Structures are given as C-alpha cells and as structure tokens.
Amino acid sequence: AGVLTIARNEDSTTFDPIKSAQNVDNWVFSNVFDVLVRVDASGTKLVPGLAESWTISDDGLTYTFKLRDAKFSDGAPVTAEDAAFSLIRIRDDKGSLWSDSFKVIDTATAADPKTLVVKLTGKSVPFLSMMALPNASVLPKKLVEGAAADSFAEKPVGSGAFSLVEWRRGDRVILKKNPNYWDAGKVSLDGVEWLVIPDDNTRMLKIQAGEVDAAITVPFSRVAELKTNPDLKVMSDPSTREDHMLINHEHGPLAKKEVREALDMAIDKQAIVEAATFGLGEVAYSYVPKGALHHYAENLQRPYDPAKAKKMLADAGASDLTLNYIVNAGKETDEQIAVLVQQQLAKAGVGVTLQKVDPSQSWDMLVNGDYDISVMYWTNDILDVDQKTTFVLGHDTNMNYMTRYKNDEVKALVEAARLETDPAKREAMYVMLQKLAKGDVNWIDLYYSPYINVTGKNIDKFHQNPLGRFSLEETVKN
Amino acid sequence: MSAPLLSVRDLSVVVRNGEGEQTLLDRVSLDLAPGDILGLVGESGSGKSLLCRSLVQLLPSRAISVTRGEVWMGGRDLLALGDAQIQAVRGAEIGMIFQNPSSHLDPVMRVGDQIVEGLRFHRKLNRAAAQEEAIALMGQVGFTDPARQFAAYPHEFSGGMRQRAMIAVALSCDPKVLIADEPTTALDVTIQAQILRLLMELRERRGLSIILITHDLGVVAQTCDRIAVMRQGRVVEVGDKRDILARPQHRYTKALISSHPSMPTDEANDVVDDKVDAARLPAGPARPLVEIDDLHIRYPLSGGVFGRRRSFSAVAGVSLQIRAGETVGIVGESGSGKSTLARAMLGLIPISDGHVTFDGASLRLQREATLTKMRQQAAMVFQDPFNSLNPRLTIGQTLAEVLRVQGKVAPAAIPKRVDELLRLVELDPDYAGRRPRQLSGGQCQRAGIARALAVDPRLIVADECVAALDVTIQAQIVALFQRLVRTMDLTLVFIAHDLAIVRNLCERVVVMHHGRIVEEGPCAEVFERPREAYTAALIAAIPDIDPDRRLLAPPGLLAS
Amino acid sequence: MSGRARAKRVNRTLIAGLVLVGGFALAALAAPLIAPYDPIFQDGTARIQPPSLTHPFGTDNFGRDILSRIIYGARVDLQMAVIGVFFPLVIGTVIGAIAGFFGGVVDAVLMRLIDIILAFPFLVLMLSIIAILGPGLSSFYIAMALVGWVSYARLIRAQILVLKNADYAVAAVSLGFSWRRVLFRHLLPNSVAGSLVFCMSDAVLVLLSGAAISYLGLGVQPPTAEWGIMVAEGQAFLSQAWWITLFPGLSIVLLAFGFSMIGDALGEAMGVHE
Amino acid sequence: MHRYSFILMRPLQFVPVVFGVSLITFILVRMIPGDPARVLLGARATPTAIANIRAQFGLDEPLWLQYLYFLRNLANGEMGMSIVYRIDVLRLIGTRIEPTFALILCSVLLSILIAVPLAALAARNQGRSIDHAIRFASTFGIGFPPFWLGLMLMMLLAVKYPIFPVSGYGETLGDKLAHLALPSLTIALSLSTVLLRSLRAAMVDWLKSDVTTAARARGMPESIVFWRHVLPNSIAPSINLLAVNIGWLIGGTVVIESIFALPGMGQLLVRAIFSRDYMVVQGVAMVFACATVLVNFLADIATVAVDPRVKL
Ligand SMILES: Nc1ncnc2c1ncn2[C@@H]1O[C@H](COP(=O)(O)OP(=O)(O)OP(=O)(O)O)[C@@H](O)[C@H]1O
Ligand SMILES: Nc1ncnc2c1ncn2[C@@H]1O[C@H](COP(=O)(O)OP(=O)(O)OP(=O)(O)O)[C@@H](O)[C@H]1O
Ligand SMILES: [Mg+2]
Ligand SMILES: [Mg+2]
Ligand code: NI
C-alpha cells in the first residue's frame, strides 16, 4: 500500500502514446495504458497482455487476437473495436511518430467485440513484438476519435494498472491505482508519482534524504557510495543498452576495413568500462546486446594492441590519420569516453579532434556525414532484434545508422532474417549477421551497461526489464 | 564688552598625514559676547570653517585633531565633553548654517521635516506641535507661503530659499549661538542683502549671538559688531568693526580693505573716464561686430504628458549690438539669462528664435560658415575656473592643443607661444606643466583667459569670471582685462552680477532681468541715474565697505 | 580620512589585488614549468585520489592531477576574464559615448537597442550562439560581447550626458575642435573611471557565466582544463571527492577576490563607486 | 504629480522592445542547426516521419511567413503550439510562471534582508576589522558558482540536518516557502553581495557627506543620522543595480531551478532550446522580456519615489 514516489531526470512530454518516441514517456505509458502483447520481466519472451491469446495464419499474414475481459479506467469495456482503431491510428494519424513501423498492417478489424483480426501487407516475424510497444497501446476509440484527440492527451483513459490524476508539467506526474484494471488484485500500490529531478546530485540527495522511494538512472559514479547506505537498495538490472562508436565509412581512409580494424584494436574497451561505468558495464563485442535474443557470445573480440594497430594503419597508408570526433555536449559519460579515446588513439598515432556539439545538432551532423567518429547508444524498444538490425545494417534511408556502411550480402541477409519463421534458422542468420558486421567493423562495439536504480529498503519488486519498462503493478511499498 | 558667551582659548588644530603634522589652526583665541555679531574674515583656506566646526567637535576627518586649547561656554569646556554631552550642545546651544546649503540639506527629505526633526528631538514636541512650530519658524525666516513650502524638497527651492531653510533648520533647536558660514557667497547681491537683514532681525528678536564668516568686507561692514581677521590659521587682528575698518593694523587687513571694489566715489571717476576714452578710439560708424536681433532661447520644461511640452524662456527677445573695440558689461540677478545670452552669442546653444549675426554672417542662415568664422575669431572665458579646463590635461597641453587646432601658429613655434601667453596673463611659464587641480582659483582663471587669448580673437566673452574669487584675486584679474583691452584691439563682453567691477571696467552696461534687457546705456549714466527701479535696487543692494552707508533695498523688488 | 591615509589604504588593497591576479597570471605563463603533471594525462591507476604528497590537490575521476589542471586552467580562465571583459568594454564605451554625445535620434535608437538587449533573455542568446557556433571559447566571447557591452554603454552614456555639458567640453567646442577630438580626447578619458571599476566585478561575472554554461554542458571543449568546467564536472563526485570541486572553486574565488580588490582600489583612487 | 507622468508614457516603450525581442529570438533560434522533428523522433527517425512533423508545425513554410503567422497568432493572444508537449505555449508557460516568479521574489527579499543590515554594519564601522570581514565574506558569495553553493546548502541543510526539503516545489503556501528556502538562499548569497557592496559604498559616502555633518550639528544621535538620513539617500543607486540584477536573474534562474528541481520557466526554456521547441523558446523569451521591462519600470518608479529630484 502507499504511494510510490520515483525521481527521474526528465519529464513526460505527452499522454498520447503515438506522439512520443522517448523512454521517459514509455515508462509512464506502460503504467497507464495496456498493450495487446507484453514482454516479460526477463525481456526475452512475449506474454499475453490485453490479448489472452493469439493465432497466426499459416501464410503469416493474418493475426487473430482474442481479447480478455478488461475495462478502461472509466469503466468502459476494452473492445476489439478499440484495439483495431488504435492500430490504424498509429499507422495513419498525421501526428504519429510510428507510422512507418506500422505500415506493415494492411487492415485491422473487429470480428466480434473480443476478437481482433489484423492482416499484414507482407510477412513480418517481428510484428508480434511490435504489438508490445507502449506506443501501440489500446486506447478507447470513443474518447480519442476526431477532434477529441487533443483533449484526450490531457485526460487520458487507459486500461493500465494506474490512471492519471494530474500532470504538473516540469514537476511530477501523479497516478493512482486503477480499480478497473483487469489484474487489479495484483496491484499493491495506491498510486505512483513520477517526480522530475534533472540534476543527478539532487536526485541522489533526494533519495538519501528519504524524500522519495526510488531514484532511477543512477550515475555509475554514485553506485559504490550508495551501496554503503544501509537504508537504500541499489539495483542493477540487465539492459539492452549498447554503446558503440559510429564510423563514417565514406571518409577517406575510414573506407578501408583495415583502418577500421586498426581503430578497433587501438581502443581499450576495458579501460572505457572502468572509467565510464566504474566497472559496472561489460566490454561489448556484438551489436546484439548480451541477454537479448540471438546474442552471439562467441563473436570476435579484437585484442587491445595499439602497436599492432599503428602498424596496420601504416600498412594501409593511413599513418597520420586525424579524426573528427563529435561529442554530445552535456552528456558526462560521452565526454569522458571522448577524452579517453583521444588519449588511447594517440598511442596508435591517430590524432583526434574533439568537437563538442549540442545533441540536437549532432543528429544533423551525423546524418549529413560531417563527422569521422562519434559515440552513440541504442536501447531496444522491442524484443525482436530485427528493428535494430534493420536500422544498423539493412537500412538505406538512414545510411545504416549514419555510418554509410555498405555490404550487399549483409543487407540481403537482414531482409531474409525478417521473414524467416523457423526460430533455429533465424538464430543462425542473426549469428551470421553479427559475425559479418564485426568482420567489417561496421562500427566499434564499446560496452554493455546495466540499468542502475536505487530504492528505499522498504520497496520490493521495483524492477526494470531489459527494454526499460518498470512493472510497477508488482511493486510493493512496505 | 560684557562677559563672553563663548570663549575660545589657544585653540590649535593639526592634520596628520604621511609626512607628519601640519598646523591648520594656530593658537586661536576669540570671544563672543551675548547678542553680538562677530565677523570672521580671511582668505580662502585660512581656517574659518574649521574653527567653527572644532567648537562642536565636528572635524571633517579623522586625521584632523585638536591638539590644545579650550572652548568655554556656560562654564564647561566644550572640547572636553563626551559624545552624549556634546550632542546636547550641538543644535540646542550652538546652531550652524553651513557654507553650502545645497549640500547640507537632505535632498530626499522634505524641508519641513528637517526642521521638525530638530524640534522633536531637542524640544520634545509631538508631531503636530512640531509641525505647527516649524511652519511658524519658516514664516519667521521669510518664507512667503510656509504651509505649502513645508512640504517642498530642497531642490525645489532657489538658492536664497535654501539658505533660509538652512537658517530655519539651525533655529529649530533654539540655539544661543548661531554660526553662519559664508551664508551669502553663492548668491547675488539682492538676495544677499535679504539674508543679511534676516540675520540681524533674528539677533534682535531672539537675542542670538552670531559668528558670521565671509570673505566680503562689505558684508562685515554692514552687519557685524566686531571683526576677526584670519590668515594661515591665525587670528591676525581682532577688534571693533569701525576700528579695524578705519585703522587696519595688519598688512593683510590693509590689502583686503584696499582691494574692495566698492562703488567708486566721485574723485575716482576720472580713472574710469580714462578707460572709456581709450576704448572709444577705434570705434567708428563701422557695422557692429555682433548683432543680436530679437533673440529667444527656450528650454523645455520636463513633464507634460503626451507631448504637451511647456518651455521656459531663459532669453526672451533680446536685441543688442556690439561694435568692434567696445567693452560691454552685462549685469543682472542670478538666473536672469546672462550666461545663456553669452553662449547663444557664440553659437554654443541652439537658438529658438531670432538672429545672431557675427561680423555680417548670420548664425541662422549660414550656420556652418558663421561657426567656422566665429571659432577663429571669438573666444569665451567661462564662469567656473576649475570646470572649464580639462582636468586631465596640463595647462601647457591645453594651450598647445588650441594653437595646433587653430593653426594660426607654426607647429615649431607653439612652445614659444605658450610661454608668451602665460606671461601675458602674468602666470609663470613653469605652470605649463601643472594640471588645473594643482592651481589656485585665480591661476586657473588666468589659464582660462590665456586659452581664450590663444585663439587670437577679436571678441572675448567673459562670463562671471571673478564671482567665486577672493577680493584680492578679483582685483588682479580686472587689472589684466583693463590692460588687454587697452593694448590689444579687443572687443570684450563682460558678464557679472557684481556691479562695482562692471563699473570699473566697462564702457557700456546692459541690465538683464528675467531674460529681457531692462536698461542699457553708458556705465556712468546707468549707475548714477538708473532709469529702472530694478537697476536701482541692484545698485542699492551692494554692501558698502563703509559701515555708515546702510544696506537698503526696496522689499518689493527683492521678492521678485 | 586624510588623502594620504586613503592613498595608503588604496595602495595596500591594490597591491594585494595585484599580487593575487599577478600570481595567477604568472602561474598561467609558467604552467609548463611549475605544473607537476600533464593536465590532460589520465592515470587509470590513480583515479579519485584524495590530496597527498604526490597529488597535492588530489586527482579527478580520470586520474588527472588537479593541481596541474588548475595551473593550466589559469590560462583559460584569465583569458576568459580578460577577453570577456575587454570587448564589451570597448564596444560599450564607443556606443555609449556616441549615444550620449549626439543624443537625439542616435541616442534614442541606441537606447532602444540597449533596452531590447537588456530585456533579451541572456540564456537564449548564449545557448543559441553556442549552438550556432559550437561550444567553445570563441562562441562564449561572442555571446559575452553581444550582451556585455550594454552595461558599459549605459555607464559611459550617463557619464557623457553629464560631462558634455561640462564647461570644459563646451569650451572645447567653442575653440573649434572637431567632435571626434572633443569626444575622444576630452570627454572619454574623463568618463571611463566608473567603467574601469565595473570591469573588475564584471570579470568575475564572466567567469561565473562560463561556469554556468559548463554546468549546462556547453562549456569549453574537453579535455581543456578550465575551472568552471572542473567544478561542473566534479560536482558529480561532490559527496565522495570534495577536492575535485573545492580547489577549482577556490581558485575562482581567489581570482574574484583579486579582481574585486583591484576594483575597490581603483574606485577609491578615482573617487567612484560601483 | 507630473513627476510620475512617465508611468503613462512608458508602456509605449514596451512595444518596440517586445517586438524586437520576438524578432531576434525568432531569427536566432531558427539559425541554430538541428531540426526539431529529428529531435522529437530520435534515433528511429525516418525521412517521411520527419516531413510529417515539419508539415504539421508549419516548419516547411518560408521563414518570413512563419514569422507572420507568429505575429498573427500573437495578435489573437496565442503563441502557438509546443512541438514537444503539443499543447498551447501560453498554457505551458502558465503552469511554469509561479515557481520562477516566487523564486525571484524570495531571493530578492532575502538578499535585501541580508545586504542592508550587513552593509549598515560595515559602513558604520568603516575600516575596522568587522568591515573587512564582511567585505571578505561577500567576495566568497560572488566567487563561488551557484550550483556549487546550492549543492553545499542542500547537503548541509537538507540531508545532514534535514531542516528544508532537498528539492521540488510545494502545494500549500508554507510548503512552497519551505521548498523555496534553499534555492532563494543560494541566489541571495550571491545577489546580496552585489547589493551589499554598492550599498556600503553609498553609505560610506553619505556618512561623510555634508548632510550627515549638518544633522550631527543639529545634535541628532548617530542612529537617527544613519537611519533617517544616510539610508534613504544610499538606496537610490542600488535600486538600479538591483533592477539590472533581477533582469539577469529572470533569465538566469535555470541553473538553480534545475539543481533544486523547481518546475519553473528557466528549465522549460533550456529544454526548449535543446529540443528546438521554437514556439516555447519564443514564448518564454517574450515573457522574460516583458518581465524585465516591467522590473525596470518598477525600478524607475521606485527611484522616483525614493529620490524626489529624479525626473524621468
Ligand atoms: N579634510 C581635510 N583634510 C585636510 N586638510 C583640510 C581638510 N579640510 C580642510 N583642510 C585644510 O584646512 C585649512 C582650513 O580650511 P577651512 O575650510 O577652514 O578654510 P576656510 O577659511 O573656511 O576657507 P574658505 O573661505 O575657502 O571656506 C585649509 O588649508 C584646508 O586645506
Ligand atoms: N539647460 C538648461 N535647462 C533648463 N533651464 C536652464 C538651462 N540652463 C539655464 N536654464 C535656466 O535659464 C535661466 C537663465 O540661466 P543663466 O545661466 O543664463 O543665468 P545667469 O544670468 O547666467 O545666472 P547666474 O548669475 O547664476 O550665472 C535660469 O532660470 C536657469 O535656470
Ligand atoms: Mg569655509
Ligand atoms: Mg551665469
Ligand atoms: Ni526677479
């Protein structure tokens, strides 16, 4: 019982799920809204959500969902009509940030009030995983339709475990228990408050002073200190976050595989793990994060060897290489890594010019190719690896995540893997992709890191799944 | 002489600085009898103000201290009193009117409240009673509408009114002794006369004893019973007024008396005629050098919501012709528009209406050309000796710059010319290396005149260039002008509120009042047979050094 | 107080101020000679070490020597203070002088411009300029110059407005001097005293603005050692490693103290106050 | 009463200032590289999605047209939509004004409360050790970055000795004041030093002035001399200084707001700049500009009220 107060570093931006692509919103969406299919706590399995069960036609084009008896927080029943409406809306609405991802849906119809039939335009294995996106939550058609959409975001009605009481922008989001939630018996909390405390120090002081029950996104640097506090529990949950260094394959010597290999060898990832994550992370070696589906544990790991790297660079005719490194301003770890990499590459005779830019601008520079190297990270939104694989290895319009990496064999394989329904074959294909990408050095994998959150001793089952969702319906405040 | 009310014995004051001690007051002894007015005269910096401030332990700085002496009043030595006791003496027994009323009145407090403050504190009156008393007091010191003026702030008063407010504040504590430090220096003669009469009246009515500090012997002659003359921290001569004026003993006192520019008696007139003749020589039917025709200068008054601006006419329809070689004096009360006229004459302020023509060129019609000509041929000597010289430049630099810009002298010859100019105004050429702050007032004034001469002008406009000076220095400067007019072919416009000097120096006089010319004519004529009552009042208000020539002025005009 | 006693106190304050600022300037100049370590060298084995004999001010989270970083930081910070004040001073003085001297339309236009800049949120300007030009010292200087001149312009304008009616200015005009000569030779030298005093406290404000920008993550490029960014970065370790923030913070304070003492002394000497 | 007539004229000067600020902001924020649509979409952005967003917010129109739209909206009392929050900018600002306003108000009051007595103490003991001590301490207030001071205060007065809450903003008045205590104190520590220095300097001058000599010569005790004559005369120059500083504060509370997690406009502004939320930047800039103009206006009124000689 009781109200759980959680301190986070950013505020929500909206309560219309299709209009956000930010983690901060998803955290709250999954409290307030419900999806047809959910990802379990381990982050490796799809489990029933609003849909009790589902069947897939043999051609893989028709999905039939059987909805359970659930109600929205206003007491209205959740119908297949609502679900169909929500899927069409995320595909078609002008304000939707996700329409591209849902173009695969051809039709979504309610066969009866509890049966939803979705027809796809083509085969897509990841489709079911996409249903678990909080952005694809089922909304009450009646309240959202037409001109009411804007006001709906003000007073959202969902079928999640909690419902919105008030959103004081910039300060907090106040949720209360939703008595109409289909699994309400399991929910122990009376409510949840998401507080915004942007400054890391303040957030940590806030929990140390006992003014909140939980603080999330704990800086790695604070973990050791917080662990010594007997009143607090520091939790480290596995994540799908992977930090990597983008390389612009179109820039001069960087087009040569040998040069990229040399760079990979010149970077001491263990040192980065130590410095940036205080040893809490782990050296990365595949673009598929550890713990995610199809992660290939035996992938190649090039040893740290600056001397050899230097020689390889000389052999490749790139001995006096100078790289332009875009650093995202305001991100402490990014700056730390940049400084470290600069020093490490210097040992291999590579000069690095750091160029710190405001993060919003760095997107443009990366897209336009005005960079040589830059560090970014990716956290999976969905369970299936296809989303990331496509963006990173098989995508034309975003130039393979701004790297300009080109390998037709890889691209074909990405297409094929998306359609492969046999799990074993599919696994093999993704292993192959991981090897190929590593061999080509599409980018340099740096490290995997866990989610670190801290709660008071009296809080139980405060857990973040690898996709970043907090399942507060299970959390207990003693 | 009755038993003294206040008696100063052997008072010495020193200032301590890095190099040791310097004596500012040297064993000064003085007595003040009840109901007496003691005149304290002496040159600037002789320690008059300091003496008065020492009496109530209000020394201007912590580095200054009394080293010996006593001040007896009511059986106590005031210098030996503690903080609390001397506080009770200040105001209640000894009231002070300071030299400069503008800076001694609190600018952000209503004048009435400043009077009330003393009444409530010393006389323990309640608010309403104090206010009533304050208004009565303001009436006594000559405010015309005390009830309204009670609520005014100091800046809303003219200089004369401020001086009266200062007196009211001093009287609010009902003192036995009033010290008035140069209460009239900043004022013109008419207002000066008014204040002096007020002081005498107060003495009569309240039995006050007054110490009156001044550098003007005329003022002393008209008001005091006794005189003390100070010089370099010492009292060099003290005694009955008539004795001292008639038989001065000390060299300095004699110099003071002889340099007083009283109205010349008839025997002295031939000297003046001499000058007039000399100046008339080059005059002919030639066209005037400066011609002013129906000149108006208006200043905008602040306020006036939504652009309905009102303005104030500082010069209202003045017409005047000045022939080459003439010496013209402009006189008039403070604020009558003399300086404004002078500046307009030289194109230094915009003309609202009318014409100024210089040597045939009109300032309005051919502004640039006329200005160029004027800048080459006319120069001005400014009212304030310190402020009209750039404080950062030495006198030599100032003069050299003028010579360089004017370009009338070859660059190589400039240093020589600077020397020459300084000699011309009787300054040692060594002064070329000094900055204005390192010079005395008279020396600055002469530097200003040298700068005007550097232009090698045909016309000099000298604006009240002697008002702020000691009589001895005044005399030097007048002599210099007399010489220059005679030896160089100069046209001189001389502005002053001191009529005696104008009469000594000028050939023709123009009397201004409220922005207009009220009377104009040859000096001798105007001063002897003034046509206007205003002119007569101005002349009558001059305090004469002869104590038997009584200070009198028709009250009606003084209030205007 | 007598002039001499005042002069003495002024001298003592001035000397103390000059010693402090001069000390930092010397440290900056001699940085390679006196700094015990390379300011950007990271020693992975000596992270977050408290002050000791080997590292008198301790080390930061990269194992960089804080003393060395402070010494090298003096170069950047002194430069920031000087440049961040110099351009606003020059621009503001010229604009303020012209507005005050000519009055009328020129003045009205410039005053409106000043109003706009005063009303313009500094942060928007600063962040936009940094975003447009990229974080770094030059954007910082440009932003400071764009905004900072306003204070000087106001100060100088007020002075010139008073002084241009001073007799010596009118005298200069009456002697046929050109307006340039009157304004720049006669009026300006007599009106800069107040601004020079203000400079000194402005220098401190510049350093603090720099620190605030660093806090928002847009400070100078890493790994440059700069005090503001050192405090900003170190604050993540405030509770476990006080020395990372304390020493650069103290350096700002000491430099500020030096500047304000020079300012006080100048003010007292020239008879002006802030 | 015509000394106060500028009160009627002044609002006319609002117009060019606010117009100027809006135009400069408009141009400036749009010159910043970086596309709001891309910021909104993040890593998963696709060209069609970006185009969609741009069309939706009219970002694909020519710049001058966008400005005209902006002006038209403004004439209707609207400021457009936030790209990030997708609600009306005015509404968004409305929820954020109070904390910032309260913070500034409290800080200014607190600074005055700190500065005046200390300045008086220092001035009346000029040259003695207490004067030096106060001046030395005040330099510390100027020199330490506010975010450092803020954290120190928080660690001391909220965690070690839990007197005040660490961060946030309250609901009831008392609650709000408690939450504002530390942030206001942080600002006041540096603001008061500026005030203190200028007040002290003025007081020292006035203590040496003829006005005080005259008051003493009337036998007034030191306390009356100080509080009735020196203080009223000394505050006039500090009013302007305070106004300029409040002007800086209005746009400069962001650091304090983000440290103390106050849901104010500074934070809103910074986030908006970083996410290129043009309309919000524009709106907040205008509100700040108006507030600054207003503060200067009030300062002018105060100056006129304090000093009867001043005419505007
Ligand atoms: N604060 C001070 N510090 C040092 N010396 C001072 C100070 N005030 C006055 N003096 C010196 O004391 C001497 C006497 O000054 P005082 O003001 O009494 O002159 P005064 O006779 O009143 O002159 P004036 O006619 O100009 O008013 C002067 O030489 C002056 O330089
Ligand atoms: N700049 C100005 N703005 C407004 N009024 C002014 C200005 N200058 C002078 N005046 C007013 O114009 C009138 C004439 O001033 P002016 O200086 O010419 O007097 P004056 O005869 O020279 O007096 P004084 O004997 O005191 O020098 C005065 O009432 C004065 O207040
Ligand atoms: Mg005197
Ligand atoms: Mg005059
Ligand atoms: Ni009159």
Side-chain angles (χ1 to χ4, degrees), chain B residues 279-289 291 321-326 359:
Chain B
R280 275 217 177 113
L281 281 177
R287 77 177 169 197
L289 181 63
E291 207 174 346
Q321 297 192 342
I322 297 165
R323 289 188 306 278
E326 214 180 9
D359 200 13

Side-chain angles (χ1 to χ4, degrees), chain A residues 100 154 202 358 360 379 381, chain D residues 44 46 48 91 259 274 276:
Chain A
D100 283 349
E154 289 301 312
T202 311
D358 161 12
S360 309
T379 323
D381 295 317
Chain D
R44 284 72 166 160
T46 56
T48 41
R91 242 194 77 207
I259 285 179
F274 281 135
R276 311 288 187 265

